[in-house]
């Protein structure tokens, strides 16, 4: 039987050291792409996939995210007084249903696997999605929706995968691919951050997962892996062979917004597509290219 998929975990307890000093007192996930923080893109993606309950695994200094998904009474009253109904609706529409958002504290950032494990008591005998907000995936159909649609047919575990340059394998979890059927590829093995000469393929895991509840017992027993952190990849690898495990070659563009260059690229590309900024930014980009003789 295919287990229901209604909950999503958003691990947001990382330190974001690649983005210092921006992330000294502000969570990385609150960095803004055009007009929305990264975490809001991820939450909207989860809703598009039919997720009903969201769980944030936070750390110290992350309260801006809790405030972002709550009422801002003074602001709303001021907007109301000024007749700014569009802005008011925008704020009210993004509020989660009361009781359908939960926060768990990861006291120490011991790695992604540890962050997911911290949410264990909120997940019953059901599947769970995990979304890393710093991976922004932009496309016509939300990445997690593409995955959830296939999951609801094939069950098991599913990860979003994409080809990366061979010399970049050490930045990702890498799939040892089995049989492929269309966009779906069987996962025969997983290795966290292998050197290019040791990588089983160039097929990388990005920050979108659908996992079976058995993952939590494995995470509980998981020792530190690459970088001394408790790695989600290591526990996922133990599920292979025990139940279906697929990678989905999703449609859309993934921006690594945990990295400065990827974040700037996301801002440029999404600003070019945004109706409010597109024409002006198109002109700006052309002017810059001319001025700097790019
Ligand atoms: P990263 O590997 O990007 O780590 O985490 P980081 O600490 O956020 O950033 P850098 O590398 O120091 O710049 C990927 C995702 O996992 C979460 C992060 O918040 C991010 O969404 N994470 C990571 C946790 O929630 N807890 C952890 O212990 C580690």
């Amino acid at each position: 039987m295919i287990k229901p998929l209604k909950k999503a975990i958003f691990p947001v307890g990382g330190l974001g050291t690649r983005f210092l000093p921006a992330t000294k007192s502000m969570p990385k996930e609150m960095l803004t792409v055009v007009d929305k923080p990264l975490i809001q893109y991820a939450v909207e993606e989860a809703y598009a996939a039919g997720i009903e309950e969201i769980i944030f695994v936070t750390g110290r200094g992350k309260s801006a995210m809790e405030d972002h998904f709550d009422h801002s009474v003074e602001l709303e009253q001021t907007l109301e007084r000024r007749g700014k109904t569009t802005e008011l609706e925008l704020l009210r529409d993004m509020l989660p249903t009361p009781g359908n958002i939960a926060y768990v504290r990861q006291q120490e950032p011991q790695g992604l696997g540890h962050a997911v494990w911290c949410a264990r008591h909120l997940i019953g005998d059901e599947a769970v999605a995990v979304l890393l907000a710093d991976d922004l995936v932009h496309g016509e159909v939300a990445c997690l929706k593409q995955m959830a649609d296939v999951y609801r047919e094939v069950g098991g575990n599913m990860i979003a995968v994409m080809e990366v340059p061979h010399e970049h394998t050490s930045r990702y979890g890498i799939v040892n691919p089995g049989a492929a059927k269309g966009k779906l590829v069987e996962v025969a093995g997983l290795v966290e951050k292998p050197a290019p000469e040791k990588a089983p393929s160039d097929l990388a895991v990005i920050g979108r997962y659908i996992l079976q509840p058995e993952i939590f017992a494995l995470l509980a027993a998981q020792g530190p892996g690459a970088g001394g952190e408790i790695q989600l990849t290591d526990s996922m690898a133990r599920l292979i062979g025990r139940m279906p495990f697929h990678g989905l070659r999703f449609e859309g563009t993934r921006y690594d917004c945990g990295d400065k260059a990827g974040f700037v690229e996301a801002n440029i590309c999404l600003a070019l597509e945004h109706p409010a900024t597109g024409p002006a930014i198109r002109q700006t980009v052309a002017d810059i290219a001319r001025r700097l003789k790019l």
Side-chain angles (χ1 to χ4, degrees), residues 10-19 28-29 57-58 62 106 108-116 131-134 193 229 256 258:
F10 298 81
V12 290
L15 295 177
T17 54
R18 282 171 292 162
F19 247 109
K28 172 171 73 171
E29 297 79 7
V57 182
T58 69
K62 300 276 183 169
Q106 184 191 24
E108 271 179 70
Q110 293 183 38
L112 176 58
H114 181 258
V116 171
L131 294 96
L132 307 189
D134 47 4
K193 300 189 170 67
E229 296 198 328
D256 179 5

Side-chain angles (χ1 to χ4, degrees), residues 61-268:
K62 300 276 183 169
S63 55
M65 258 176 297
E66 300 187 25
D67 293 339
H68 187 72
F69 290 99
D70 199 350
H71 281 290
S72 172
V73 177
E74 210 182 317
L75 175 63
E76 286 171 41
Q77 283 171 350
T78 307
L79 291 173
E80 198 150 19
R81 239 187 356 261
R82 293 186 185 167
K84 297 208 171 235
T85 45
T86 314
E87 289 81 354
L88 199 56
E89 264 169 42
L90 197 76
L91 295 189
R92 291 191 174 152
D93 283 353
M94 57 170 273
L95 287 179
T97 308
N100 284 17
I101 182 163
Y103 298 91
V104 175
R105 194 86 164 213
Q106 184 191 24
Q107 289 100 332
E108 271 179 70
Q110 293 183 38
L112 176 58
H114 181 258
V116 171
W117 176 76
C118 285
R120 66 200 177 280
H121 292 305
L122 297 177
I123 314 294
D125 187 26
E126 57 197 306
V128 64
V130 178
L131 294 96
L132 307 189
D134 47 4
D135 267 343
L136 174 59
V137 192
H138 187 61
E140 251 171 57
V141 181
C143 178
L144 190 69
K145 177 172 168 35
Q146 296 175 42
M147 296 168 69
D149 286 349
V150 182
Y151 166 74
R152 290 178 180 122
E153 288 183 5
V154 302
N157 300 285
M158 190 168 296
I159 48 182
V161 295
M162 63 180 239
E163 301 284 345
V164 295
H166 186 60
E167 62 275 19
H168 291 175
T169 55
S170 59
R171 299 180 189 175
Y172 299 90
I174 298 289
V175 171
N176 180 7
K181 196 173 163 205
K183 291 181 194 138
L184 212 55
V185 53
E186 268 175 34
V187 176
L190 279 169
V191 197
E192 184 63 22
K193 300 189 170 67
E197 62 277 13
K198 292 200 171 144
S201 76
D202 296 339
L203 205 55
V205 182
I206 68 141
R208 299 290 182 276
Y209 315 80
I210 294 174
L211 300 169
Q212 295 302 304
E214 285 80 355
I215 192 75
F216 293 106
L218 296 170
L219 284 170
Q222 188 66 58
E229 296 198 328
I230 298 176
Q231 298 287 355
L232 182 60
T233 307
D234 295 342
S235 289
M236 287 195 307
R238 298 203 164 89
L239 290 173
I240 297 167
R242 289 170 54 174
M243 53 182 78
F245 205 132
H246 292 100
L248 182 76
R249 293 175 192 264
F250 60 97
E251 281 181 19
T253 309
R254 174 256 187 185
Y255 299 98
D256 179 5
C257 291
D259 172 79
K260 293 185 185 88
F263 174 72
V264 173
E265 184 190 355
N267 263 293
I268 295 170

Side-chain angles (χ1 to χ4, degrees), residues 33-46 136 270:
V33 172
V34 186
D35 56 359
K36 267 192 290 196
L38 288 170
I39 189 67
Q40 195 177 338
Y41 285 95
V43 167
E44 288 175 2
E45 182 180 330
L136 174 59
L270 269 68

